Amino acid sequence: MSNESRKSAGFKDRTPVTTARETLLDAVSPHERTERVPLRDADERVVAGEITAERAVPHYRRAAMDGFAVRAEDTFGASQRSPASLRVGETVTTETAARVHTGSELPDGADAVVMVEETEVAGDSVTVFDAVAGGENVAPIGEDVAEGQTLYEDGHRLRPSDLGLLKSVGNDAVEVYEQPTVSVIPTGEELVQDDPEPGQVIETNGQTVTQYVERWGGTATYRDIVTDDVDALRAAISDDLDHDIVVTTGGSSVGERDLLPEVVSGIGEVLIHGVALKPGHPVALGVVEETPILMLPGYPVACIVNAVQFLRPALRRAGHLPTADPPTTEAELTRKIASEPGTRTYARVELHDEGADEQTTATPTRASGSGVLSSVALADGWVVVPESVEGYDAGDTVTVEDWEWSQ
């Protein structure tokens, strides 16, 4: 479709959200770049390849209790009424015990530990009031982790507990996938970074998207504002095709200054233009030289909705990052939410705990207005109204998604 026919046709046919997302993800290939990073910098990074234990934990037999290391057979038959008496020494031999503490190495000759509560020391002898079996109160080599044991498979996202385990088996660094790279290009001749004059607008979309990329596990390059000019937009996109994903903000609709679909079509392919979601249906998805291009709408709320629905899953696929559903809260709706049939609506709401039973309620912050940034910045989440539902009534129980989650 030519630029003129596209502008005149508008968005009569909009692609369902699920279809559009699948189309974009089909164009995203997980990169294979890896790097070795110190454990202190590896939290939430994704393991590249299998990790096995370089050494056992523990790597020596150790006492699991404070007490006395003994030969178990020297305590057989010991009881409160008929205790055993052993010598106290530095080593363990026949009828000789050695004092040990929790975690200390078990002396040669010993095969068990008598808990200190079951002993009584007098001079250089110890009285044992309870018999122990071989191996009792002893942590054997590899009880926690065996040498050579597989700890993590390719694709595992590391947690602080994982990093502690890796350090315990002798690692000081780990091989992980590099974070996926995203170029963020804000567009629009009306945009400025500060001190706006009448008719000018502070650039926020690019900054917001950049920070979401960082939160979602990527590395963002936040570019300077590009004006509404075909040559300038083409150059900006072409210069950043070495990134895993290129994201633009603004200029994705069908107005005279909405040039990005035309630009991408000229140097690549526009896969989707117009998605059945609200706010933010003028989103466009494309590919240039195998690099996915995500053209986000210029209205702030529409930009955020589309970033969560499309950029987040694309970024996570590119970087081998696992996907997860957002945390949700069940709440009672205080006012009606209307929705157009065939369109998936994301209605911003505030959550409150009310009444003696602290019933959680959800109050819409604004029914419309995709340019009102405060309606999303001051919200606690959004209610997703599916395409098959014509809204929800006051009093309905709804599910509120927290789109700000970082997993």
Side-chain angles (χ1 to χ4, degrees):
M1 181 182 292
S2 69
N3 187 42
E4 289 304 317
S5 60
R6 172 179 59 79
K7 292 178 188 294
S8 63
F11 293 102
K12 293 179 182 178
D13 297 318
R14 301 178 186 177
T15 304
V17 174
T18 301
T19 302
R21 186 185 296 124
E22 291 174 351
T23 299
L24 176 62
L25 292 179
D26 284 344
V28 178
S29 298
H31 73 71
E32 298 304 324
R33 306 184 305 273
T34 66
E35 61 181 336
R36 193 162 182 82
V37 300
L39 292 184
R40 65 179 178 276
D41 299 326
D43 186 27
E44 297 193 335
R45 298 297 297 272
V46 177
V47 171
E50 183 181 84
I51 299 179
T52 58
E54 296 182 5
R55 68 179 177 216
V57 178
H59 60 283
Y60 59 93
R61 292 190 310 155
R62 65 186 181 189
M65 298 284 181
D66 289 345
F68 288 87
V70 298
R71 296 194 321 155
E73 62 186 85
D74 289 339
T75 70
F76 290 168
S79 67
Q80 291 290 330
R81 297 183 62 180
S82 179
S85 181
L86 305 176
R87 295 184 297 277
V88 177
E90 296 297 322
T91 59
V92 175
T93 57
T94 302
E95 297 185 348
T96 301
R99 188 183 295 273
V100 291
H101 303 284
T102 302
S104 61
E105 183 178 13
L106 200 69
D108 289 340
D111 62 359
V113 172
V114 179
M115 293 189 296
V116 67
E117 295 91 334
E118 300 295 340
T119 65
E120 185 176 287
V121 178
D124 61 356
S125 67
V126 57
T127 301
V128 177
F129 297 100
D130 188 34
V132 290
E136 190 169 342
N137 299 323
V138 174
I141 293 173
E143 178 189 47
D144 191 350
V145 180
E147 182 179 356
Q149 177 181 333
T150 299
L151 300 179
Y152 303 109
E153 302 285 354
D154 182 273
H156 176 75
R157 195 176 193 190
L158 293 166
R159 305 159 298 178
S161 58
D162 300 326
L163 302 177
L165 180 60
L166 289 174
K167 185 176 182 180
S168 75
V169 298
N171 295 74
D172 57 9
V174 61
E175 193 76 15
V176 296
Y177 288 105
E178 289 185 9
Q179 293 180 308
T181 57
V182 179
S183 166
V184 181
I185 305 172
T187 77
E189 62 185 40
E190 77 282 8
L191 298 181
V192 294
Q193 291 291 5
D194 51 39
D195 297 329
E197 297 180 359
Q200 294 181 329
V201 178
I202 291 290
E203 199 296 301
T204 61
N205 288 333
Q207 173 183 295
T208 301
V209 171
T210 294
Q211 290 169 330
Y212 275 131
V213 168
E214 303 287 348
R215 171 174 285 200
W216 294 336
T219 298
T221 303
Y222 180 24
R223 296 302 190 189
D224 292 336
I225 298 166
V226 180
T227 192
D228 297 316
D229 174 81
V230 169
D231 292 336
L233 293 169
R234 183 189 302 115
I237 292 172
S238 298
D239 287 348
D240 278 354
L241 294 178
D242 57 342
H243 289 69
D244 294 309
I245 302 171
V246 173
V247 180
T248 61
T249 63
S252 68
S253 190
V254 292
E256 291 300 319
R257 293 191 296 178
D258 293 301
L259 304 175
L260 278 162
E262 173 189 353
V263 168
V264 171
S265 180
I267 57 177
E269 180 183 4
V270 174
L271 305 172
I272 300 287
H273 190 200
V275 178
L277 83 170
K278 183 178 181 181
H281 69 269
V283 61
L285 315 173
V287 176
V288 177
E289 297 181 14
E290 300 185 353
T291 300
I293 312 296
L294 177 55
M295 293 160 272
L296 300 176
Y299 282 134
V301 182
C303 178
I304 290 172
V305 168
N306 280 286
V308 174
Q309 300 310 311
F310 299 111
L311 175 57
R312 184 180 187 277
L315 181 151
R316 298 184 80 80
R317 172 165 291 188
H320 298 260
L321 290 155
T323 58
D325 293 329
T328 60
T329 301
E330 298 298 304
E332 182 179 306
L333 197 60
T334 62
R335 294 203 305 267
K336 180 178 180 178
I337 294 176
S339 182
E340 176 185 346
T343 297
R344 188 176 300 185
T345 298
Y346 297 82
R348 295 86 75 191
V349 298
E350 292 180 349
L351 293 175
H352 301 280
D353 292 327
E354 299 180 354
D357 58 353
E358 293 190 346
Q359 167 69 46
T360 301
T361 61
T363 300
T365 60
R366 193 178 181 95
S368 62
S370 61
V372 183
L373 181 56
S374 62
S375 71
V376 67
L378 300 180
D380 296 305
W382 55 43
V383 175
V384 182
V385 185
E387 293 87 341
S388 60
V389 177
E390 294 186 40
Y392 294 117
D393 291 324
D396 285 351
T397 298
V398 294
T399 300
V400 181
E401 290 187 359
D402 177 8
W403 73 84
E404 300 280 15
W405 94 113
S406 58
Q407 295 302 311

